Amino acid sequence: MSTRTFLRDNGLSLGFGALFLASLVGQAFAGLADFNDRQLARGSQTVGLADYLTSSSFAVDVAENWQSEYLQFFLYVFATVWLIQRGSPESKPLSRVGRGSDRDQLLGKHLHRGSPRWARAGGWRTAVFAKSLGLVMAGLFALSWLAQSIAGVSAYNAEQLSEFGSPVSWGGYLVSADFWNRTLQNWQSEFLAIGSMAVFSVYLRQRGSPESKPVGAEHGVTDESG
């Protein structure tokens, strides 16, 4: 496979991967400037980029966004099995609500030569593979939420000590207002974005995008992309 073909065939993942890295670098520099501004306001010493990148302050800012994104996809993967939005290309039509038949899912006698190995294996391996996308998203959400809580309690306690307050335990931080404020401000934005996308895509179009219906499709048409 030529480099040009590889780039074409993987343009979506490579493009968003590049945007992710660029955004993370931007966040690092902007976060460092903000952190040092707060340090100066408190009369504390500023830090360099390397120290900031290994700090709990940077880690918690990154992790709290990651966990909300993976929560969004984890819930969406499972919710769209049973919930529908009439007219949205993000939704299945009413007639296909549920887990789908073996024919729909290309299982059992409907398998073909190119089917994934675990889909052909049967038993527990096929059962796990049939839920693998949601399970991985759930696992990544749990890990990033755990990372947020660990980095968060460290950052919170550093803030407390700098202001002569009392540090808290990890368990105490999990029920603190700081932890849930950080968590819920990300969750509410993710739920709003994904819900509004499902509704907007009923009535609005983006020509050529698989996230949109064909421009001339009726508003009530469901599960059709252009």
Side-chain angles (χ1 to χ4, degrees):
M1 179 185 297
S2 68
T3 301
R4 184 175 180 178
T5 300
F6 176 81
L7 293 175
R8 181 203 65 194
D9 291 353
N10 297 279
L12 192 59
S13 57
L14 292 173
F16 275 93
L19 289 172
F20 162 71
L21 292 176
S23 300
L24 191 61
V25 170
Q27 179 186 351
F29 283 99
L32 174 63
D34 179 64
F35 182 84
N36 281 335
D37 284 345
R38 287 185 279 115
Q39 288 289 94
L40 290 172
R42 290 196 295 259
S44 302
Q45 287 186 331
T46 60
V47 301
L49 180 62
D51 289 331
Y52 176 67
L53 292 179
T54 56
S55 70
S56 57
S57 180
F58 178 70
V60 70
D61 287 345
V62 172
E64 72 182 37
N65 285 284
W66 288 7
Q67 61 88 3
S68 65
E69 296 297 336
Y70 284 119
L71 173 66
Q72 173 192 156
F73 286 110
F74 154 59
L75 291 178
Y76 198 68
V77 165
F78 280 105
T80 51
V81 175
W82 302 101
L83 303 180
I84 66 165
Q85 180 65 50
R86 183 176 180 180
S88 175
E90 300 291 317
S91 168
K92 298 188 295 187
L94 180 61
S95 61
R96 289 172 50 199
V97 169
R99 298 172 65 243
S101 65
D102 283 354
R103 181 178 180 179
D104 293 334
Q105 297 296 317
L106 301 179
L107 290 173
K109 65 180 182 180
H110 304 287
L111 288 162
H112 52 79
R113 183 177 297 177
S115 295
R117 184 172 61 181
W118 275 46
R120 291 185 277 110
W124 67 269
R125 285 180 291 180
T126 297
V128 169
F129 186 66
K131 298 180 177 67
S132 56
L133 180 59
L135 291 174
V136 167
M137 290 298 172
L140 290 171
F141 160 67
L143 289 174
S144 54
W145 202 19
L146 177 62
Q148 177 197 341
S149 69
I150 294 172
V153 70
S154 179
Y156 180 81
N157 284 336
E159 188 81 14
Q160 287 288 96
L161 292 171
S162 70
E163 298 176 356
F164 305 101
S166 300
V168 299
S169 65
W170 179 66
Y173 181 68
L174 288 181
V175 296
S176 70
D178 183 81
F179 176 73
W180 284 103
N181 178 52
R182 286 178 173 272
T183 296
L184 293 173
Q185 68 179 321
N186 284 281
W187 286 9
Q188 56 85 15
S189 63
E190 300 299 336
F191 297 151
L192 174 64
I194 201 166
S196 59
M197 176 62 180
V199 174
F200 290 158
S201 61
V202 175
Y203 303 103
L204 306 178
R205 307 288 189 268
Q206 184 63 51
R207 184 170 182 169
S209 174
E211 299 302 312
S212 167
K213 292 183 290 189
V215 178
E218 297 178 15
H219 290 323
V221 173
T222 309
D223 187 37
E224 183 177 335
S225 60

